[in-house]
Amino acid sequence: MLALVMALVVTGCASDAPQSALDPAGPFARSLHNLFIPVVWVATAVFVVVEGVIVYAVIKWRRRADDDGEVLPAQMHGNTKLEIGWTILPALVLGLVAIFTIPVIFELNAKPADALQVSVAGQKYWWGYTYGTQPQFGITQANGIVTANELHIPAGQTVNLTLTSTDVIHSFWAPRLNGKRDVVPGRSHNWLLEADQPGVYAGQCAEFCGTSHANMLLKVVAHDPVGWTDWVEQMQREPLEPVSGAAARGFALFAQKGCSGCHQVDGSYEMVAPDSPSAPNLTHLFSRDCFAGCIYDLNDRNEMEAWLRNPQRKAGSLMVVGALTEDEIDDLYAYLETLE
Ligand code: HEC
Ligand SMILES: [Cu+2]
């Protein structure tokens, strides 16, 4: 029993956990944390008092060895004072918790107009992000910025996410920056994020959404002001269509093999087939570090080639392609690499 408890306790600990709500890195996550910790202590106090009384009673009034059981203890039913007491006391405790909780609910549901606005689309099994034109954040391009899986934000600034889904219910969760928010088809939910410091913050889909739910990770990349300007500039640059060599062959294959039926590349391939599953916009694929729900390393060429060979290596993936030869894969890779 003790070994089991110890095992549970030990698996609950990691000194370098990248995705811990107990290590808040921004004001919204901190508000939740500041609520969570005192409530845990209140709950602990209640637990100790209630369990203490139970253990005391069980020991004090246990059946003794010399008790033959012939004389029953006094039988009683109900104690009005006690029952009123243990109804009112928990109500008071919960009322106290509510006093601190309610302002945080309002804080987390605010929709600050001066925040960076990003639309987030949860889909099987990846995250799509669209930033509309917002000159105050450097985004001047008429069609904004579209990217996937990695959400880039300026550090120290409030970001207002608008969450939508076209398939099933997902949940957006970047624990060090805020709690979870459901992403529900037919509805639009708001959620705030803010990171104090530049850095990379891990997250994931937190609502079971199908076979590859566990492979639907995300990353929030918070930039310092210079890094943010650079990123925005890179995202607004239109990639050049390759004119010769492997990349040009890959560019042609991108249409021939049906990739352009699902994937958009701004300026080159802009019409996806109406019945295709929604797929990540690849215009600036190589501005990212991870792909396919952030489970593969984009800087590892082998991972990308393995993906093109068999996108079903991610269970339940909605990417379906016919068999490609190794030469075709090399050419496609050469083209994808130009999308930075
Ligand atoms: C039937 C639609 C469809 C076709 C056709 C298709 N893809 Fe995909 N692709 C997807 C979907 C959906 C994903 C996201 C999968 C996931 O993460 O679960 C994806 C993901 C990707 C990614 C990773 C992008 C990212 O940022 O996560 C790359 C790269 C990619 N596809 C390249 C290609 C290439 C090259 C072809 C043509 C050989 C192709 N795709 C054909 C639907 C498609
Ligand atoms: Cu999901």
Side-chain angles (χ1 to χ4, degrees):
M1 198 51 197
L2 194 63
L4 185 70
V5 171
M6 288 307 286
L8 282 175
V9 169
V10 170
T11 51
C13 303
S15 57
D16 58 348
Q19 208 174 282
S20 172
L22 299 176
D23 185 15
F28 304 114
R30 211 173 301 116
S31 292
L32 286 172
H33 191 249
N34 290 345
L35 204 55
F36 174 71
I37 296 299
V39 171
V40 167
W41 284 117
V42 170
T44 306
V46 171
F47 176 82
V48 168
V49 169
V50 171
E51 288 301 311
V53 171
I54 290 176
V55 169
Y56 173 80
V58 164
I59 293 173
K60 180 158 168 79
W61 289 291
R62 71 188 184 278
R63 184 172 173 175
R64 311 287 161 141
D66 60 355
D67 180 357
D68 56 14
E70 264 172 25
V71 188
L72 284 178
Q75 301 295 298
M76 60 179 89
H77 180 259
N79 180 319
T80 313
K81 272 189 208 144
L82 262 182
E83 295 200 359
I84 290 177
W86 66 45
T87 305
I88 288 180
L89 204 63
L92 286 179
V93 172
L94 290 181
L96 185 74
V97 170
I99 289 174
F100 292 99
T101 304
I102 290 167
V104 178
I105 294 178
F106 280 96
E107 181 196 340
L108 296 186
N109 283 285
K111 294 178 190 170
D114 54 350
L116 173 69
Q117 308 289 329
V118 186
S119 302
V120 178
Q123 29 223 322
K124 289 181 167 182
Y125 297 95
W126 59 282
W127 298 95
Y129 308 113
T130 307
Y131 304 63
T133 312
Q134 293 164 82
Q136 70 276 34
F137 290 100
I139 308 171
T140 49
Q141 196 163 256
N143 49 354
I145 290 174
V146 183
T147 185
N149 297 316
E150 269 181 24
L151 174 66
H152 289 250
I153 63 171
Q157 308 230 29
T158 303
V159 182
N160 183 31
L161 306 179
T162 305
L163 309 168
T164 56
S165 165
T166 50
D167 45 39
V168 298
I169 303 177
H170 304 272
S171 179
F172 186 93
W173 192 36
R176 297 192 63 203
L177 303 181
N178 203 344
K180 297 171 187 171
R181 186 66 131 200
D182 274 4
V183 182
V184 182
R187 301 192 58 161
S188 145
H189 290 169
N190 283 74
W191 206 218
L192 299 174
L193 287 187
E194 183 170 334
D196 297 329
Q197 299 295 331
V200 180
Y201 304 93
Q204 66 181 74
C205 177
E207 179 77 38
F208 181 73
C209 58
T211 320
S212 249
H213 161 64
N215 295 325
M216 189 169 165
L217 313 183
L218 62 96
K219 252 190 217 177
V220 181
V221 182
H223 292 280
D224 61 18
V226 175
W228 173 253
T229 313
D230 288 350
W231 182 78
V232 169
E233 205 181 289
Q234 177 183 10
M235 297 305 284
Q236 298 194 114
R237 221 179 292 137
E238 214 160 81
L240 296 174
E241 284 179 12
V243 290
S244 64
R249 290 197 298 276
F251 178 76
L253 282 172
F254 196 81
Q256 286 159 22
K257 294 294 170 186
C259 318
S260 60
C262 293
H263 290 285
Q264 185 157 338
V265 178
D266 298 348
S268 301
Y269 295 111
E270 304 206 299
M271 297 292 291
V272 300
D275 57 344
S276 66
S278 52
N281 183 309
L282 299 182
T283 312
H284 295 285
L285 174 66
F286 273 81
S287 68
R288 321 200 256 272
D289 282 333
C290 59
F291 70 98
C294 266
I295 60 169
Y296 302 122
D297 181 358
L298 196 57
N299 299 307
D300 181 344
R301 179 170 179 152
N302 293 328
E303 296 265 46
M304 182 56 79
E305 295 201 345
W307 175 251
L308 296 179
R309 226 168 269 134
N310 176 24
Q312 298 306 312
R313 70 196 290 245
K314 175 172 175 180
S317 154
L318 298 189
M319 171 157 155
V320 179
V321 286
L324 299 166
T325 67
E326 288 304 304
D327 285 344
E328 287 168 341
I329 288 175
D330 286 345
D331 291 347
L332 279 167
Y333 186 85
Y335 169 53
L336 292 177
E337 236 183 350
T338 67
L339 302 172
E340 48 174 32

